[in-house]
Amino acid sequence: MNTFGNIFRLTSFGESHGPAVGGIIDGCPPGLELDMEFIQSELDRRRPGQSRITTPRVEPDTVEFLSGIFEGKTTGAPIGFMIKNQNQRSSDYDNLKDVFRPSHADYTYQQKYGIRDHRGSGRSSARETIARVVGGAVAKLYMRQLGVSVSAYTSQVGEIKLENDYKKYDLTKTENTPVRCPDTEKAEQMIELIKQVQYKGDTIGGVVTCVIQGAPVGLGEPVFGKLHAALGSAMLSINAVKGFEYGHGFDVSKRGSEMNDSFFDDNGKISTRTNNSGGIQAGISNGQDIYFRVAFKPVSTILMEQKTVNIDGKDTTIKARGRHDACVLPRAVPIVEAMAAMVILDYYLLSKKV
Amino acid sequence: MNTFGNIFRLTSFGESHGPAVGGIIDGCPPGLELDMEFIQSELDRRRPGQSRITTPRVEPDTVEFLSGIFEGKTTGAPIGFMIKNQNQRSSDYDNLKDVFRPSHADYTYQQKYGIRDHRGSGRSSARETIARVVGGAVAKLYMRQLGVSVSAYTSQVGEIKLENDYKKYDLTKTENTPVRCPDTEKAEQMIELIKQVQYKGDTIGGVVTCVIQGAPVGLGEPVFGKLHAALGSAMLSINAVKGFEYGHGFDVSKRGSEMNDSFFDDNGKISTRTNNSGGIQAGISNGQDIYFRVAFKPVSTILMEQKTVNIDGKDTTIKARGRHDACVLPRAVPIVEAMAAMVILDYYLLSKKV
Amino acid sequence: MNTFGNIFRLTSFGESHGPAVGGIIDGCPPGLELDMEFIQSELDRRRPGQSRITTPRVEPDTVEFLSGIFEGKTTGAPIGFMIKNQNQRSSDYDNLKDVFRPSHADYTYQQKYGIRDHRGSGRSSARETIARVVGGAVAKLYMRQLGVSVSAYTSQVGEIKLENDYKKYDLTKTENTPVRCPDTEKAEQMIELIKQVQYKGDTIGGVVTCVIQGAPVGLGEPVFGKLHAALGSAMLSINAVKGFEYGHGFDVSKRGSEMNDSFFDDNGKISTRTNNSGGIQAGISNGQDIYFRVAFKPVSTILMEQKTVNIDGKDTTIKARGRHDACVLPRAVPIVEAMAAMVILDYYLLSKKV
Amino acid sequence: MNTFGNIFRLTSFGESHGPAVGGIIDGCPPGLELDMEFIQSELDRRRPGQSRITTPRVEPDTVEFLSGIFEGKTTGAPIGFMIKNQNQRSSDYDNLKDVFRPSHADYTYQQKYGIRDHRGSGRSSARETIARVVGGAVAKLYMRQLGVSVSAYTSQVGEIKLENDYKKYDLTKTENTPVRCPDTEKAEQMIELIKQVQYKGDTIGGVVTCVIQGAPVGLGEPVFGKLHAALGSAMLSINAVKGFEYGHGFDVSKRGSEMNDSFFDDNGKISTRTNNSGGIQAGISNGQDIYFRVAFKPVSTILMEQKTVNIDGKDTTIKARGRHDACVLPRAVPIVEAMAAMVILDYYLLSKKV
């Protein structure tokens, strides 16, 4: 199940400490000009070592395209690509070979497959998300032509939380701070918190909010392919994600009469006065902004001693070494955008099929 | 996209006011004894008119099986089934033909398909979930043989909310109250609240919590087929669902050192001291209880006047007639269980070793 | 694997001696007027008892639609349908319960599933093709709007074989004879042969030729979804089919210089002088006629004593009773057309430009 | 549609004159030792320049694996791989940029995608089959453990044709001649014919026969996933294939009483006296040898002047340059085996899922 999507499909491969990570994009419409600089800039947003609050592991993460492009444009053929792994320190993981790190993939992979590449978490490493960012960047280039934008930002780190919804912020400011939060003041507090946590060898989670603007009416394939079910599945497939909500989500304290979005004639265009629906009604986009929130757990790798068992089931302790993020939120923002862009393009293409 | 699942697959059909709703279950293992009484009892839990806090529309919702069964057992052939629609009052919907009900499927279906069966919401009616309950009941029968149980309950209605997690309740008591909440006191409050809301012609949402016990280690297909991504997609495909979280979900205030589930040797079996992971690590079940929460919005159909537009985009008002639920939570419980059971069986079959 | 297609999808169910056969058509474009008379007439072409050279089992095979239609038109929702089984004589099969009929499904189904509905061959009965004919009829109605026609005919029965290719015949004459062969003289010979074979309790195979005219350029999804691969898979999935060839097929005696179809400017339209390619080049339709041939084996059920083994693996003999076709070719013609129509519509929808 | 298979899935990428061809194998069971020498030897059987009767283009075609392998064994993670393109002479194709070669992919690709990599046929080049051979080699390694073998050979070139069926030949001799025909005498005649045709700048087609031995009973997923439908689709997806038949195929002259394969007790194992069914009954393998035949057309690229049109639809002529095969049969043999091996492994894994 390393393939994502229906018409626009990404199949990915690669482990943290293998020769390369990469993928194949299938079903990309032909004739799309691939802006290589943009694609690389998206990878740079995800790349480790980009700021003082991310892991110091430095990887250039340069993408090489292997097929599907002719004279700078997509041809309709599958687009193969890879990113070589470079700054590996496999020896950091020698002590993990025979123990199961708490809340990590070690135990479940070992039990499921009977074999496990323990170096850098193998296939369960977040390096796998590189392929998603490439796929998402291609999707964004296509969506840009249609006037659709996808903007995510960090809206919560630990207990520090934006008080307003996305409409109150200037989302073009998201990239101004390394934590990718458009509220400068809160951003500083988040950074401070991450540093404190990092100093203790601990980790912290948070929430990413994402907004899709300009999506046409009609995306979504009832009943099992509802647009928000596809977005939810996409987000939940990202490492460390624990929850997804769209529109008013888990806020169920209000009544139907307060929550319903009444329609009105907006100068000849049908619009809604409020948008508690989150831009999706009965699984189909209604032309309003689509917005959702994604919860990320604190990274499981902590630089503190933890109790656990070894491969023989015997009690032992473990203490991680190596270079790790104390908080994935800043680097999660482009991944959330990438997955959202792929879903929207895929559903856009699906909606053209009948 | 009316097919759900990979190996165990449900394809459903049917509108609220058509001749029947039903489906085809494909990929059910052969030799499974179908306990018809159990399947019908699951439908009875979903059925309208079952209590004073659900819609008074009375439908017997009796399932007829059309294929795939021989001498009471599944044969490996597809299982066709249908439930005839009976107590329809299509005239209740005459006034809705040319207007778009707020937060309903009317507008998006009309825009997407250019045609719409307005009677009883057509395909977007919650009657569609009948097929899910049948599929889920068959899945439960199989899972029962494996010692896997799926138990959901109402954990929140509006502002009334269970304070403890599932472990503190006796889930066999869930069915004792019409609101399907195992905490008798809270159940009474919820019922009271629903009645108040109902009296005003308004509606109210809430949260269903679901627990899967006894699932084997190893279910889940990285990276895009993570078990919680499949569960999330399944839940988000249910009518009125706005959010999904598993394990500690959106509660991201704690540190990694507090959230990690340390392993220990539990008399020769590897277990975890805590279960903040919600029974799933790196997308694969780890043998602990799998639990998650599903947010439902207040039903969009309210018996109050609302502003909206008609099919020509002109401002107008609307007031629903007919028989509706003021709160879907009680009837949503068996649907959540059904979708969970189908996902778990599907992933169990996927995981089968060669 | 009871689902066929990518965008336009048919999922079928039903056994010969169960309550009904039927299916669900998903992905049919909305707004299509369903000509019920036409759909029934296609079923009548497949129906048993239609002439003296088919099985005398008489079934009206009347289709009931259960969903997906509003005021006579498709709505984009799944179209459920069923055809009740009526003229069953299950007792004809009592003696087959514990033996494996040669070249039939008995042995392989028993081994694969460990359980088997022996009555009328259960799921492997050709009654399953009823659902295909309904799906194909709906596809034909859509294709008709696009100016695409699908015409099949019997081109060989046993050793009696049409000498010319499809261009030499008036295909509107196919339905004039019960054997569905447009060459009246050959048709008489085929009928005579079938009667002789039938008289002896034996059976005979043959070949169906099919021509698709008016298909647009561009249908086919390289590399694994080549149009002829999809057509081939569709045909090979029909009961009793042993081979598929398109264009010049197995006739490999000529050189490339003789076989290549040279292009020319046909009054502003690019056309080919010959059509050895069969209307498909590199897996994509080129605007010329698509034609192919499908080989059917002699029916396995013969009214003669045969050696075989019983369910315990012991040698025994068997002699079939009941009402059977001595030659499936006449009734196979509409099934071949139905599968071809579904493939072409599915690939048309897949090919739709964004 | 560059993905093949259900459980064992190959997704391929690459054009003839791009940087590389390759693919991702997903769903390979974990713990399989990858014999790299064997995989490379399979590529060598497909490689151009291997003998005097294949194209003189010399490519080492060395495979690099990028993921999914740990300490020489598969891990259950996707296996990425690539083969760099090296001996390209893109200038050979400069004259083809604006014309459509007869019976080639040029016209249909241009019409379908509106853009086309004309160099070496781009995506429609037979270099794409390299990925299939890698996938097939991995599948063969797994099948070998199960005692299943897949053996193909050239059974016809132009009018020269083996007279007997596969049982009469020693298939271990297939590799002894460059034409891959186990009948030494016929092999010499085929080689002579290919040379004559080559000398004239012409091309010639033929037939590959393939036999699968040792496959267990029960492979095949009725009704649309019949084993022979999957094999047929796989074969028809190979470049230049025009037909597929299994068992007695298009030989429909005999009666049912002559064709039926009677069962007998073969020392406690159920077997059949004859095998006209080709090892498959009702779409499911019955434990006998599975055999089928695949027709290949003469290569479309001939070194002779041909009439055609240019991209503007104007009549013109064309004469190919470059290095081409006069007959694909010798190099097609390992590709047929590869596709067959992938189908059998995929269906073996599917058969374990219920």
Side-chain angles (χ1 to χ4, degrees):
Chain A
M1 290 240 209
N2 293 281
T3 297
F4 178 80
N6 298 279
I7 302 291
F8 184 90
R9 283 184 301 276
L10 171 70
T11 304
S12 81
F13 71 83
E15 290 90 39
S16 185
H17 288 232
V21 297
I24 301 173
I25 298 164
D26 199 5
C28 185
L32 175 67
E33 198 137 356
L34 283 193
D35 178 342
M36 292 299 174
E37 230 167 288
F38 172 74
I39 296 172
Q40 189 59 49
S41 73
E42 288 290 280
L43 281 170
D44 293 346
R45 294 174 71 207
R46 196 218 74 95
R47 171 170 84 71
Q50 62 182 267
S51 79
R52 62 211 147 110
I53 54 164
T54 63
T55 165
R57 175 173 169 169
V58 180
E59 294 255 12
D61 284 350
T62 309
V63 63
E64 290 174 62
F65 284 95
L66 302 171
S67 68
I69 305 167
F70 184 61
E71 298 178 347
K73 288 184 177 168
T74 59
T75 62
I79 302 168
F81 64 89
M82 69 170 179
I83 296 92
K84 285 186 188 126
N85 290 324
Q86 300 195 348
N87 189 359
Q88 301 158 328
R89 294 206 317 229
S90 300
S91 58
D92 278 359
Y93 296 89
D94 285 352
N95 63 330
L96 302 179
K97 202 175 168 185
D98 295 326
V99 289
F100 298 138
R101 289 168 297 165
S103 290
H104 244 293
D106 302 345
Y107 173 64
T108 50
Y109 268 65
Q110 182 70 42
Q111 292 299 106
K112 186 177 181 70
Y113 299 113
I115 183 174
R116 172 171 64 99
D117 182 349
H118 67 282
R119 302 164 306 163
S121 299
R123 179 65 180 156
S124 76
S125 164
R127 272 194 80 69
E128 171 265 317
T129 59
I130 291 180
R132 302 176 186 230
V133 171
V134 174
V138 172
K140 277 184 177 180
L141 286 170
Y142 193 89
M143 305 306 290
R144 192 190 276 176
Q145 299 181 162
L146 301 174
V148 182
S149 70
V150 180
S151 313
Y153 60 92
T154 302
S155 54
Q156 183 173 352
V157 170
E159 51 279 16
I160 301 166
K161 187 172 178 165
L162 295 204
E163 271 142 31
N164 300 305
D165 77 13
Y166 72 92
K167 287 191 181 154
K168 305 284 184 182
Y169 302 101
D170 176 359
L171 300 187
T172 65
K173 288 188 180 161
T174 298
E175 295 297 309
N176 293 357
T177 88
V179 77
R180 296 203 163 85
C181 169
D183 179 325
T184 326
E185 209 173 309
K186 291 280 184 183
E188 279 314 307
Q189 295 172 26
M190 288 171 178
I191 291 167
E192 201 45 49
L193 177 58
I194 294 171
K195 281 191 199 162
Q196 279 172 25
V197 164
Q198 194 170 26
Y199 180 77
K200 291 183 189 156
D202 213 338
T203 58
I204 196 161
V207 175
V208 169
T209 296
C210 184
V211 194
I212 300 159
Q213 292 177 304
V217 186
L219 310 189
E221 300 295 323
V223 296
F224 298 115
K226 293 192 169 91
L227 185 58
H228 54 267
L231 286 167
S233 177
M235 297 306 142
L236 289 158
S237 80
I238 300 173
N239 305 40
V241 170
K242 299 299 287 185
F244 169 88
E245 59 177 6
Y246 78 106
H248 61 77
F250 276 92
D251 177 9
V252 294
S253 55
K254 300 220 185 80
R255 303 295 175 263
S257 56
E258 298 168 286
M259 279 313 202
N260 278 356
D261 298 315
S262 66
F263 292 106
F264 73 106
D265 173 358
D266 184 9
N267 294 313
K269 197 188 145 236
I270 295 176
S271 191
T272 61
R273 285 181 182 85
T274 50
N275 185 16
N276 294 311
S277 299
I280 301 172
Q281 284 166 339
I284 301 170
S285 63
N286 68 355
Q288 307 300 311
D289 291 352
I290 297 166
Y291 64 92
F292 56 84
R293 300 172 72 245
V294 186
F296 287 83
K297 71 172 183 178
V299 179
S300 301
T301 304
I302 58 177
L303 305 179
M304 302 165 99
E305 190 168 275
Q306 295 182 87
K307 290 178 182 170
T308 189
V309 297
N310 64 18
I311 207 168
D312 302 318
K314 299 298 163 215
D315 288 333
T316 181
T317 61
I318 193 173
K319 191 172 166 181
R321 287 198 296 266
R323 302 156 297 174
H324 302 283
D325 288 281
C327 178
V328 294
L329 274 290
R331 295 175 58 202
V333 166
I335 301 168
V336 165
E337 287 181 8
M339 294 307 289
M342 286 195 284
V343 168
I344 296 295
L345 175 51
D346 188 35
Y347 274 70
Y348 173 74
L349 297 174
L350 266 177
S351 76
K352 296 290 161 191
K353 295 301 178 196
V354 281
Chain B
M1 290 242 210
N2 294 280
T3 297
F4 178 80
N6 297 279
I7 301 290
F8 184 91
R9 284 184 299 277
L10 172 70
T11 303
S12 80
F13 70 84
E15 290 89 41
S16 184
H17 289 230
V21 296
I24 301 173
I25 298 165
D26 199 4
C28 183
L32 175 66
E33 197 138 354
L34 283 191
D35 177 343
M36 292 300 173
E37 229 166 289
F38 173 73
I39 296 172
Q40 189 58 49
S41 72
E42 287 291 282
L43 282 170
D44 292 347
R45 293 173 71 207
R46 196 217 75 95
R47 168 169 87 69
Q50 62 183 267
S51 78
R52 60 212 150 110
I53 56 165
T54 63
T55 165
R57 174 174 170 173
V58 180
E59 293 257 11
D61 285 349
T62 309
V63 62
E64 291 174 61
F65 285 95
L66 303 170
S67 67
I69 304 167
F70 183 61
E71 299 178 346
K73 288 184 177 168
T74 60
T75 62
I79 302 167
F81 63 89
M82 70 170 180
I83 297 93
K84 284 187 189 124
N85 290 324
Q86 299 194 347
N87 190 359
Q88 301 158 328
R89 294 208 316 230
S90 299
S91 58
D92 277 358
Y93 296 89
D94 285 352
N95 63 329
L96 302 179
K97 200 176 169 184
D98 296 325
V99 290
F100 298 138
R101 288 168 298 164
S103 291
H104 244 292
D106 303 344
Y107 173 64
T108 49
Y109 268 66
Q110 183 70 42
Q111 292 299 106
K112 185 175 182 72
Y113 299 112
I115 182 174
R116 173 171 64 98
D117 182 349
H118 67 282
R119 301 164 306 163
S121 300
R123 179 65 180 155
S124 76
S125 162
R127 272 194 81 68
E128 170 265 318
T129 58
I130 291 179
R132 303 176 186 230
V133 171
V134 175
V138 172
K140 277 184 177 181
L141 286 170
Y142 193 87
M143 305 307 289
R144 190 189 277 176
Q145 298 181 163
L146 301 174
V148 183
S149 69
V150 180
S151 313
Y153 60 93
T154 302
S155 54
Q156 184 173 352
V157 170
E159 51 278 16
I160 301 166
K161 187 174 177 164
L162 295 204
E163 272 141 32
N164 299 303
D165 76 13
Y166 72 92
K167 287 189 182 157
K168 306 283 185 184
Y169 301 102
D170 176 358
L171 300 186
T172 64
K173 289 188 180 161
T174 299
E175 295 297 310
N176 292 357
T177 90
V179 77
R180 297 202 161 85
C181 169
D183 178 326
T184 326
E185 210 174 309
K186 292 280 184 183
E188 279 312 309
Q189 295 171 26
M190 290 172 177
I191 291 167
E192 199 46 49
L193 177 58
I194 293 170
K195 282 191 199 164
Q196 279 172 27
V197 164
Q198 193 171 25
Y199 181 78
K200 292 183 189 155
D202 213 339
T203 58
I204 195 161
V207 175
V208 169
T209 296
C210 185
V211 193
I212 300 159
Q213 293 177 302
V217 186
L219 309 190
E221 301 294 323
V223 297
F224 298 115
K226 293 190 170 91
L227 184 57
H228 54 267
L231 286 166
S233 177
M235 297 306 142
L236 289 157
S237 80
I238 299 172
N239 304 40
V241 171
K242 300 299 286 186
F244 170 87
E245 59 177 6
Y246 77 107
H248 62 76
F250 277 92
D251 177 8
V252 294
S253 55
K254 299 220 184 80
R255 303 297 175 261
S257 57
E258 298 167 288
M259 280 311 202
N260 278 356
D261 297 317
S262 65
F263 291 108
F264 73 106
D265 173 357
D266 186 8
N267 292 313
K269 197 188 143 232
I270 294 176
S271 190
T272 61
R273 284 182 183 84
T274 50
N275 185 16
N276 293 310
S277 299
I280 302 173
Q281 285 167 337
I284 301 170
S285 63
N286 69 355
Q288 306 300 311
D289 290 352
I290 297 166
Y291 63 93
F292 55 84
R293 298 172 74 244
V294 186
F296 287 82
K297 71 171 184 178
V299 179
S300 302
T301 303
I302 57 178
L303 304 180
M304 302 165 99
E305 190 168 274
Q306 296 182 87
K307 291 179 182 170
T308 190
V309 298
N310 65 18
I311 206 166
D312 303 315
K314 299 299 163 215
D315 288 332
T316 182
T317 60
I318 193 173
K319 191 172 166 182
R321 285 199 297 268
R323 302 154 297 172
H324 303 282
D325 288 281
C327 178
V328 293
L329 274 289
R331 295 176 59 203
V333 166
I335 302 167
V336 164
E337 287 181 6
M339 293 306 289
M342 286 195 284
V343 169
I344 295 295
L345 175 52
D346 189 34
Y347 274 70
Y348 171 75
L349 296 175
L350 269 176
S351 77
K352 279 181 79 175
K353 294 262 169 46
V354 290
Chain C
M1 291 242 207
N2 293 281
T3 297
F4 178 80
N6 298 278
I7 301 292
F8 184 92
R9 282 184 300 277
L10 172 70
T11 303
S12 81
F13 72 83
E15 291 89 40
S16 184
H17 289 231
V21 296
I24 302 174
I25 297 165
D26 199 4
C28 183
L32 175 67
E33 197 137 357
L34 284 192
D35 178 342
M36 293 298 173
E37 228 167 290
F38 173 74
I39 296 171
Q40 190 58 49
S41 73
E42 288 290 281
L43 281 170
D44 292 346
R45 293 173 71 207
R46 197 219 73 96
R47 171 170 85 70
Q50 63 182 266
S51 78
R52 62 212 147 110
I53 55 165
T54 63
T55 163
R57 175 174 168 169
V58 180
E59 294 257 11
D61 284 349
T62 309
V63 63
E64 290 174 62
F65 284 96
L66 302 171
S67 68
I69 305 167
F70 184 60
E71 299 178 346
K73 287 183 177 169
T74 60
T75 62
I79 303 166
F81 63 88
M82 69 170 180
I83 296 92
K84 285 187 189 124
N85 290 322
Q86 301 194 346
N87 190 357
Q88 302 158 328
R89 295 206 316 228
S90 300
S91 58
D92 278 358
Y93 296 89
D94 285 353
N95 63 328
L96 303 179
K97 202 177 169 183
D98 296 325
V99 288
F100 298 138
R101 288 168 297 164
S103 290
H104 244 292
D106 302 343
Y107 173 64
T108 50
Y109 268 64
Q110 183 70 42
Q111 293 297 107
K112 184 176 183 71
Y113 299 112
I115 184 176
R116 172 170 64 98
D117 183 349
H118 67 280
R119 302 164 305 163
S121 299
R123 179 65 180 156
S124 76
S125 163
R127 271 194 80 69
E128 171 265 319
T129 58
I130 290 179
R132 303 177 185 231
V133 171
V134 174
V138 172
K140 278 184 177 181
L141 285 170
Y142 192 88
M143 305 306 291
R144 193 191 275 176
Q145 298 180 164
L146 301 174
V148 183
S149 69
V150 179
S151 314
Y153 60 93
T154 301
S155 54
Q156 184 173 352
V157 169
E159 52 278 16
I160 301 167
K161 189 175 179 164
L162 295 204
E163 271 142 32
N164 298 305
D165 76 14
Y166 72 91
K167 288 191 182 156
K168 305 285 184 183
Y169 301 102
D170 176 358
L171 299 187
T172 64
K173 289 188 179 161
T174 299
E175 295 297 310
N176 292 358
T177 88
V179 77
R180 297 203 161 85
C181 169
D183 178 326
T184 327
E185 209 173 311
K186 292 279 184 183
E188 280 312 308
Q189 294 171 26
M190 289 171 178
I191 292 167
E192 199 48 47
L193 177 58
I194 294 171
K195 282 192 200 162
Q196 278 172 26
V197 164
Q198 194 171 24
Y199 182 77
K200 291 182 189 155
D202 213 339
T203 59
I204 194 161
V207 176
V208 168
T209 296
C210 183
V211 193
I212 300 160
Q213 291 176 304
V217 185
L219 310 188
E221 301 295 322
V223 296
F224 298 116
K226 293 191 170 90
L227 185 57
H228 54 267
L231 286 166
S233 176
M235 297 307 142
L236 289 157
S237 79
I238 300 172
N239 305 39
V241 170
K242 300 299 287 186
F244 170 87
E245 60 177 5
Y246 78 107
H248 62 76
F250 276 93
D251 176 9
V252 293
S253 55
K254 299 221 184 78
R255 304 295 176 261
S257 57
E258 298 167 287
M259 279 313 203
N260 279 356
D261 297 317
S262 65
F263 291 107
F264 73 105
D265 173 358
D266 184 10
N267 293 313
K269 199 190 143 233
I270 294 175
S271 190
T272 60
R273 284 182 182 84
T274 50
N275 185 16
N276 294 311
S277 299
I280 302 173
Q281 284 167 338
I284 302 170
S285 64
N286 69 355
Q288 307 300 310
D289 291 352
I290 297 166
Y291 63 92
F292 56 84
R293 300 172 73 245
V294 186
F296 287 81
K297 71 172 184 178
V299 179
S300 300
T301 303
I302 58 177
L303 305 179
M304 302 164 99
E305 189 167 274
Q306 296 182 86
K307 289 177 183 172
T308 189
V309 298
N310 65 18
I311 207 166
D312 303 316
K314 300 298 162 216
D315 289 331
T316 181
T317 61
I318 194 174
K319 191 172 168 182
R321 287 199 296 266
R323 303 155 297 172
H324 303 281
D325 288 281
C327 178
V328 293
L329 274 290
R331 295 176 58 202
V333 165
I335 302 167
V336 164
E337 287 181 8
M339 293 307 289
M342 285 195 285
V343 169
I344 294 296
L345 174 52
D346 189 35
Y347 274 71
Y348 172 76
L349 297 174
L350 270 175
S351 77
K352 280 180 77 174
K353 293 262 169 46
V354 288
Chain D
M1 290 241 206
N2 293 279
T3 297
F4 178 81
N6 299 280
I7 301 291
F8 184 91
R9 284 183 298 278
L10 172 70
T11 304
S12 80
F13 70 83
E15 290 90 39
S16 184
H17 289 231
V21 296
I24 300 173
I25 297 165
D26 199 3
C28 183
L32 175 67
E33 199 138 354
L34 283 193
D35 178 342
M36 293 298 174
E37 228 167 290
F38 173 74
I39 297 172
Q40 190 58 50
S41 73
E42 288 290 281
L43 282 170
D44 292 347
R45 294 173 71 206
R46 196 218 76 95
R47 172 170 83 70
Q50 63 182 265
S51 77
R52 62 212 149 108
I53 55 166
T54 64
T55 165
R57 175 174 170 171
V58 180
E59 294 256 12
D61 285 349
T62 310
V63 63
E64 289 174 63
F65 283 96
L66 302 170
S67 68
I69 304 168
F70 184 61
E71 299 179 344
K73 287 183 178 168
T74 59
T75 63
I79 302 167
F81 63 88
M82 69 170 180
I83 296 92
K84 284 187 190 125
N85 290 324
Q86 300 195 345
N87 189 359
Q88 301 158 329
R89 293 206 318 228
S90 299
S91 59
D92 278 359
Y93 296 90
D94 285 352
N95 64 328
L96 301 180
K97 201 176 169 185
D98 296 325
V99 289
F100 297 138
R101 288 168 298 164
S103 291
H104 244 291
D106 302 345
Y107 173 65
T108 50
Y109 267 66
Q110 183 70 43
Q111 291 299 106
K112 184 175 184 70
Y113 298 112
I115 183 174
R116 172 170 66 98
D117 182 350
H118 67 281
R119 302 164 306 163
S121 300
R123 179 65 179 156
S124 76
S125 162
R127 272 195 79 69
E128 171 265 319
T129 57
I130 290 180
R132 303 176 185 230
V133 171
V134 175
V138 172
K140 277 184 177 181
L141 286 171
Y142 193 88
M143 305 307 289
R144 193 191 275 177
Q145 299 181 163
L146 301 175
V148 182
S149 70
V150 180
S151 314
Y153 59 92
T154 301
S155 54
Q156 184 173 352
V157 170
E159 52 278 19
I160 301 166
K161 188 175 180 162
L162 296 205
E163 272 142 32
N164 299 305
D165 76 14
Y166 72 93
K167 288 191 182 155
K168 305 284 185 183
Y169 301 102
D170 176 358
L171 299 186
T172 64
K173 289 189 178 159
T174 299
E175 295 297 309
N176 292 357
T177 89
V179 77
R180 295 202 163 85
C181 170
D183 178 326
T184 326
E185 208 174 309
K186 291 280 184 182
E188 280 313 307
Q189 295 172 27
M190 288 171 177
I191 291 167
E192 199 46 49
L193 177 59
I194 293 172
K195 283 191 198 163
Q196 278 172 26
V197 165
Q198 194 172 24
Y199 181 79
K200 290 182 189 156
D202 213 339
T203 59
I204 195 161
V207 175
V208 168
T209 296
C210 184
V211 193
I212 300 160
Q213 292 176 302
V217 185
L219 310 188
E221 300 295 324
V223 294
F224 298 116
K226 294 191 170 92
L227 184 58
H228 54 267
L231 286 167
S233 178
M235 297 306 142
L236 289 157
S237 80
I238 300 172
N239 306 40
V241 170
K242 301 299 287 185
F244 169 88
E245 60 177 5
Y246 78 106
H248 62 75
F250 277 92
D251 176 9
V252 294
S253 55
K254 300 219 183 79
R255 303 297 175 263
S257 57
E258 298 167 288
M259 280 312 203
N260 278 357
D261 297 316
S262 65
F263 291 107
F264 73 105
D265 173 357
D266 185 9
N267 292 312
K269 197 187 144 238
I270 294 176
S271 189
T272 60
R273 285 181 181 85
T274 49
N275 185 16
N276 294 311
S277 299
I280 302 173
Q281 284 166 338
I284 301 169
S285 63
N286 68 355
Q288 307 299 312
D289 291 352
I290 297 167
Y291 63 93
F292 56 83
R293 299 172 73 245
V294 186
F296 287 82
K297 71 172 182 176
V299 180
S300 300
T301 303
I302 58 177
L303 304 179
M304 303 165 98
E305 190 168 275
Q306 296 182 85
K307 291 180 181 167
T308 189
V309 298
N310 65 18
I311 206 167
D312 303 316
K314 298 300 162 215
D315 288 332
T316 181
T317 60
I318 193 173
K319 190 171 167 183
R321 287 200 295 268
R323 302 155 298 172
H324 302 281
D325 288 281
C327 178
V328 294
L329 273 289
R331 295 176 59 204
V333 166
I335 302 167
V336 164
E337 287 181 7
M339 295 305 290
M342 285 196 284
V343 169
I344 295 295
L345 175 51
D346 189 35
Y347 274 70
Y348 173 75
L349 296 175
L350 268 176
S351 76
K352 295 290 162 191
K353 294 303 175 196
V354 285

